[in-house]
Amino acid sequence: MSATQTQVVLPTTARRKWLTPAVREHLQVYLPLLVIIIALSALASSRNGAFLSTMNLERMLVASSVLGILAVGQTFLLVGGQLDLSVGSLVSLGSVLTAKLVVGEVPDVVIVLVAVLVGAASGALWGLLVSLLRVPPFILTLGGLAVFASIALTVAKSTPIPLPTGLDWLQTGSFLGLRTPTLIWLLCVIVGGVLLHFTRFGRNVFALGANEEAAFLSGIATTRTKIAIFVLNGTLAGLAAVVITGRVGAGDPRAGVGLELVVIAAIVLGGASLAGGRGSILGSLLGVLVLGVVTSSLTFLSVPDSYDQFVFGAILIAAVSVTAGADFRRRRKVQRRA
């Protein structure tokens, strides 16, 4: 083989080595999401030049921060084959409790700690019931959704609790041009990404979601892993409650209504499977950004608010259908190889 031929073959080999099946699978998920973000941004910007202004981008990131924090915790659950439909109501309850503590002039550090511990306790309860009593998480957390929503409305007397002072750092704080809610979201993404993709715990979560029995037989502590991901999800829901309370300046008993479905839509949009064993923090991040761009685009395109739920519902249906189609094609490919 001549020197010229060698120079041609080496880059091709290197490219094939880099484009592994796993990388191609991720690119098939990420690239369409990036195209959607760019296309929607271009469309909204063509109608209103203020869409891509620094102020609007900052506002969009801050508005997406609560959903983004919830998406990190729910990604662990979906990858592990679990689900928590109570996170929206837990955010509402946490928001009301946070406002009550702020009005009582409790130090901010204690407020954050209490909200996080309440969320973690909720997650621990779900984890124990799902792991030890084999209660289906869908039914269990659906009941939790109703219970938390009722408690939040009762404690707040169905009325938002305004914050006179307190949690100002969530409204005015910033670093490197990013507001505090956005920074908290990014910190959760980085820590969650490392934990899920670069640690033994993360590998155990993937194994749990792919095949729980096989994971148990291979020596993985499936019960402990399952409880841990529920606790992590509840902890982040408590943190999200503090963020949304500080951002809007009130403890709203309806602050988290519908968030449980939107967060699942974002994660599935990012390539996670409802059957477990597949998903990524980066995919969930892109899914949240897509929904944030969609929401902002609808506003800039002067689409009536009544269409918001229709759009999010259509996105959820499309995402689940595409994921189910991909799973079907993957199963057929495995069957053909067998």
Side-chain angles (χ1 to χ4, degrees):
M1 181 179 291
S2 66
T4 305
Q5 287 174 316
T6 303
Q7 288 173 356
V8 172
V9 170
L10 282 177
T12 305
T13 305
R15 186 166 62 250
R16 286 177 179 171
K17 187 176 181 181
W18 180 74
L19 281 174
T20 61
V23 172
R24 281 200 295 270
E25 186 177 338
H26 284 301
L27 289 177
Q28 287 172 358
V29 174
Y30 300 156
L31 290 179
L33 295 179
L34 290 172
V35 170
I36 292 173
I37 292 173
I38 294 172
L40 279 176
S41 299
L43 176 62
S45 181
S46 66
R47 302 291 183 87
N48 191 328
F51 182 82
L52 291 178
S53 65
T54 304
M55 182 180 294
N56 186 56
L57 293 177
E58 181 184 87
R59 188 183 299 123
M60 199 159 49
L61 288 175
V62 171
S64 301
S65 58
V66 170
L67 184 63
I69 294 170
L70 291 176
V72 173
Q74 197 78 258
T75 299
F76 277 84
L77 284 180
L78 259 63
V79 170
Q82 309 301 313
L83 188 69
D84 187 353
L85 293 176
S86 69
V87 288
S89 294
L90 187 56
V91 168
S92 298
L93 177 59
S95 178
V96 170
L97 294 177
T98 298
K100 286 280 187 183
L101 293 174
V102 172
V103 172
E105 299 183 352
V106 176
D108 288 358
V109 175
V110 178
I111 292 172
V112 175
L113 191 60
V114 169
V116 165
L117 287 177
V118 169
S122 164
L125 177 62
W126 298 154
L128 287 169
L129 291 174
V130 169
S131 303
L132 302 180
L133 300 182
R134 304 288 182 184
V135 180
F138 178 85
I139 302 299
L140 179 68
T141 57
L142 185 62
L145 181 152
V147 170
F148 291 149
S150 178
I151 295 175
L153 288 169
T154 303
V155 173
K157 298 178 181 176
S158 303
T159 305
I161 304 171
L163 303 183
T165 56
L167 301 180
D168 296 334
W169 49 277
L170 282 170
Q171 296 182 354
T172 60
S174 64
F175 181 70
L176 297 176
L178 296 174
R179 299 269 299 279
T180 305
T182 306
L183 289 170
I184 295 174
W185 173 20
L186 292 180
L187 181 63
C188 292
V189 167
I190 293 171
V191 174
V194 171
L195 192 60
L196 183 61
H197 300 291
F198 300 102
T199 66
R200 177 181 293 180
F201 173 74
R203 291 192 292 274
N204 290 348
V205 175
F206 276 100
L208 174 68
N211 190 323
E212 183 175 349
E213 185 177 356
F216 176 76
L217 293 175
S218 65
I220 294 174
T222 54
T223 298
R224 191 168 59 198
T225 303
K226 206 178 292 185
I227 294 173
I229 58 179
F230 271 103
V231 170
L232 176 62
N233 180 65
T235 301
L236 291 176
L239 181 62
V242 177
V243 172
I244 197 170
T245 306
R247 184 169 65 81
V248 302
D252 190 346
R254 298 178 180 83
V257 171
L259 275 179
E260 60 279 346
L261 294 182
V262 181
V263 73
I264 290 173
I267 297 170
V268 174
L269 202 60
S273 170
L274 290 174
R278 196 171 70 250
S280 70
I281 296 295
L282 179 57
S284 298
L285 170 66
L286 291 174
V288 171
L289 289 176
V290 166
L291 295 184
V293 172
V294 168
T295 303
S296 187
S297 299
L298 292 176
T299 302
F300 274 78
L301 295 175
S302 302
V303 177
D305 295 342
S306 56
Y307 285 92
D308 285 1
Q309 294 301 317
F310 175 83
V311 172
F312 283 122
I315 290 174
L316 180 58
I317 293 170
V320 172
S321 300
V322 170
T323 303
D327 288 340
F328 177 73
R329 289 195 297 274
R330 192 174 291 107
R331 284 196 301 271
R332 287 196 63 180
K333 189 180 292 184
V334 171
Q335 289 172 354
R336 286 174 181 170
R337 288 176 181 172

